[in-house]
Amino acid sequence: MLRTLALTAALAALAAHPGAAQKTAGTNTKAATLKDFLARVDTYVALHKKAESTLPTLPKQTDPKQIDTHERALSKLIQAQRAGAKQGDLFTPAMQALVRTLLAPVFRGRDGAQIRAEILDNEYKGAVKLVVNGRYPDDVPISTVPPQVLSELPKLPEDLEYRFVRDNLILFDPHAHIIPDFVPHAF
């Protein structure tokens, strides 16, 4: 009887406030999208760590050539494991839409034009073709991501970073110097 009364009260509340059901559904969809994205990221990081564990560790005193050699070896291992990787594997279409939704207020806000200019001003002016699972272009400077942007995005494990290449938000694997996935036209 109590269960029936509670259900009746809940249905009456939803009927009185139909937007509440949509808001709850939207919140649940957002949470599910974020959970799925983070699970995909965790799977990638596990693959990264497994591949990296097969390589000799870098000595404490390294030079740029040793680091580059290590990055390239790690990238080859990851690329082999993700041979069929494509855009949208980590940033699913739902997550891409969510990223754009999360970033829209940042870029439309009071400091939005300045944030956009900061990202685009530091950009390489030549042509850049992003390739999932490909090496981050050596001649393109690695951008910084403004804190206002980072605060809106889900926190990543330390093996991955967010970066921008023009208006594309990329996942960057700094240890392998590759792009696991990206969101085209994130802003």
Side-chain angles (χ1 to χ4, degrees), residues 7 19 24 28 39 46 57 86 92 100 127 130-131 144 147 161-162 177:
L7 181 59
T24 301
N28 290 341
T57 56
K86 60 190 178 314
T92 62
R100 290 182 189 105
L130 296 178
V131 177
T144 58
E161 300 171 356
Y162 294 111
H177 207 78

Side-chain angles (χ1 to χ4, degrees), residues 147-167:
Q148 301 93 322
V149 171
L150 285 176
S151 69
E152 296 302 318
L153 297 170
K155 186 169 175 19
L156 294 172
E158 60 185 58
D159 293 309
L160 287 174
E161 300 171 356
Y162 294 111
R163 298 294 179 185
F164 282 100
V165 175
R166 292 201 170 91
D167 65 345

Side-chain angles (χ1 to χ4, degrees), residues 50-114:
K50 184 177 178 185
E52 194 166 31
S53 73
T54 66
L55 296 173
T57 56
L58 284 170
K60 289 186 182 190
Q61 297 291 328
T62 59
D63 60 49
K65 184 173 173 34
Q66 289 172 307
I67 293 170
D68 184 65
T69 300
H70 188 266
E71 284 176 352
R72 288 177 189 275
L74 178 56
S75 70
K76 283 184 195 265
L77 292 171
I78 292 171
Q79 289 165 337
Q81 291 292 313
R82 298 183 73 225
K86 60 190 178 314
Q87 198 273 322
D89 284 349
L90 300 175
F91 282 121
T92 62
M95 187 60 192
Q96 291 176 49
L98 181 57
V99 164
R100 290 182 189 105
T101 300
L102 293 172
L103 296 184
V106 173
F107 290 106
R108 278 194 305 242
R110 184 179 78 160
D111 298 327
Q114 179 185 346

